[in-house]
Amino acid sequence: MSKRILVTGGAGFLGSHLCDRLIEDGHDVLCVDNFFTGSKDNIRHLLGNPRFELMRHDVTFPLYVEVDEIFNLACPASPIHYQHDPVQTTKTSVHGAINMLGLAKRLNAKIFQASTSEVYGDPEVHPQPEEYWGRVNPIGIRSCYDEGKRCAETLFFDYHRQHGLKIKVARIFNTYGPRMHPNDGRVVSNFIVQALRGQDITIYGDGSQTRSFCYVDDLIRGFLALMNTDASVTGPINLGNPNEFTIRQLAEMVIELIGSKSKVIYMPLPGDDPKQRQPNIEKARTVLDWVPSIQLEQGLIKTIEYFQKIVK
């Protein structure tokens, strides 16, 4: 059945891929974005589609629309962007959640929260299951994002308990793919852009820290699987690829796939940067019947093809 679906942050990396998939599935999409990190280029191909509507709006202000479901993705997600205006980052997570939850309550609409693996902070438990409460520095340079997202989860569950709201909370682990912002400072886009330009590839720390990289198509499939569960499934549910790689391995793979002559250089590790990040996805596997299917090399090839078109 066709629904009218609101996607906040819909012109961003993940949001634009979600809009594509929802329209493909026959839904009408209202894409809301203030274009702080989102880009019209990401959704330009949808602008003439009768099922797609674009609205410039900041979720820290209330929104008065009529929809059946809400995906709340609005928030800068890379350290460079969320540390640029940390107060606004916290407002986007907290006020944005309050405004979208208020809208969902008025409409009796199901609402999805794009939370993050950053709620686990620099974890002492590895891999991270949903039951782990995390180890987050509340006054560090990353806390505007980490604590903002933790507070958003609090609000979602309090609205669920207090008002019976139908909520779905996904904790997203490192995701990559086409439409990543070339200057977002995230490791996959950084390495690809540096390698394409023949620049030195910058590794912060000694490169032994690990990440688990999920290709965007797999992640969006996880979003929809979670959104389509019955009301008893609220999450939080980890969505990410459990295959773990060191940052050094990623750099070597990017250099090899591009055939670049870039050298690897090492810089000091930024504050509060987690040393390990790997999802335990047992819950997604059993509750959603979801596992990622696209391996890192395969996904990197598609991502490199995208960056080859936009990097000068």
Side-chain angles (χ1 to χ4, degrees):
M1 191 180 75
S2 177
K3 295 174 187 149
R4 184 160 162 77
I5 300 176
L6 167 62
V7 179
T8 73
F13 163 45
L14 297 181
S16 62
H17 284 280
L18 177 60
C19 289
D20 282 345
R21 180 61 199 274
L22 292 171
I23 285 170
E24 227 174 84
D25 291 350
H27 300 297
D28 290 330
V29 172
L30 173 58
C31 166
V32 165
D33 207 297
N34 69 346
F35 298 107
F36 174 57
T37 57
S39 167
K40 271 202 186 144
D41 289 337
N42 291 339
I43 41 96
R44 196 173 298 283
H45 62 289
L46 295 174
L47 292 176
N49 191 310
R51 291 198 173 277
F52 182 79
E53 185 182 348
L54 174 63
M55 180 190 291
R56 183 187 285 268
H57 180 82
D58 185 327
V59 295
T60 61
F61 298 96
L63 183 61
Y64 302 101
V65 293
E66 306 297 317
V67 293
D68 303 309
E69 290 182 355
I70 300 167
F71 283 86
N72 185 37
L73 274 59
C75 190
S78 77
I80 281 180
H81 291 144
Y82 65 65
Q83 288 166 11
H84 170 72
D85 188 345
V87 171
Q88 188 61 26
T89 296
T90 305
K91 280 183 174 177
T92 302
S93 285
V94 178
H95 291 186
I98 290 167
N99 288 329
M100 290 308 113
L101 288 161
L103 177 63
K105 179 175 170 245
R106 177 175 74 77
L107 299 172
N108 193 27
K110 195 190 316 183
I111 181 166
F112 175 103
Q113 168 66 3
S115 190
T116 172
S117 60
E118 298 300 331
V119 300
Y120 300 121
D122 190 358
E124 296 153 304
V125 173
H126 192 73
Q128 294 82 53
E130 290 85 351
E131 293 72 24
Y132 177 54
W133 289 356
R135 178 171 171 260
V136 175
N137 174 2
I139 58 169
I141 56 169
R142 298 170 73 104
S143 54
C144 58
Y145 183 70
D146 302 2
E147 295 288 27
K149 288 288 192 179
R150 283 163 71 97
C151 185
E153 285 197 15
T154 302
L155 286 160
F156 265 69
F157 279 87
D158 283 337
Y159 264 80
H160 172 65
R161 285 184 286 255
Q162 198 171 329
H163 302 296
L165 208 59
K166 298 186 282 285
I167 65 164
K168 309 288 176 184
V169 176
R171 289 180 178 160
I172 302 165
F173 282 70
N174 291 59
T175 304
Y176 69 99
R179 301 184 199 156
M180 288 184 88
H181 198 293
N183 303 317
D184 68 3
R186 288 194 246 193
V187 66
V188 173
S189 47
N190 261 12
F191 287 0
I192 292 174
V193 169
Q194 288 171 333
L196 286 172
R197 288 177 174 158
Q199 298 166 341
D200 290 337
I201 285 191
T202 314
I203 288 181
Y204 294 95
D206 63 5
S208 64
Q209 67 270 40
T210 65
R211 294 292 183 270
S212 308
F213 301 102
C214 184
Y215 188 67
V216 62
D217 291 358
D218 279 335
L219 186 79
I220 299 302
R221 196 164 45 80
F223 281 10
L224 298 177
L226 175 54
M227 195 58 150
N228 293 330
T229 51
D230 65 47
S232 66
V233 179
T234 58
I237 288 188
N238 289 338
L239 293 177
N241 192 319
N243 295 336
E244 194 178 12
F245 293 87
T246 68
I247 297 300
R248 196 182 302 113
Q249 283 175 309
L250 175 70
E252 287 162 359
M253 199 181 287
V254 166
I255 288 169
E256 188 181 333
L257 289 173
I258 289 174
S260 172
K261 294 184 168 56
S262 295
K263 304 273 186 295
V264 174
I265 59 167
Y266 296 88
M267 305 281 279
L269 199 63
D272 297 332
D273 194 61
K275 286 173 270 311
Q276 287 184 306
R277 180 70 86 233
Q278 182 190 20
N280 176 325
I281 62 163
E282 275 315 299
K283 201 170 271 188
R285 202 188 300 269
T286 54
V287 176
L288 309 180
D289 191 25
W290 177 87
V291 288
S293 62
I294 296 168
Q295 297 311 313
L296 183 59
E297 184 171 326
Q298 189 187 353
L300 282 175
I301 289 168
K302 294 172 188 255
T303 310
I304 289 164
E305 282 170 3
Y306 167 78
F307 276 105
Q308 281 169 331
K309 292 178 194 143
I310 65 162
V311 170
K312 300 289 180 278

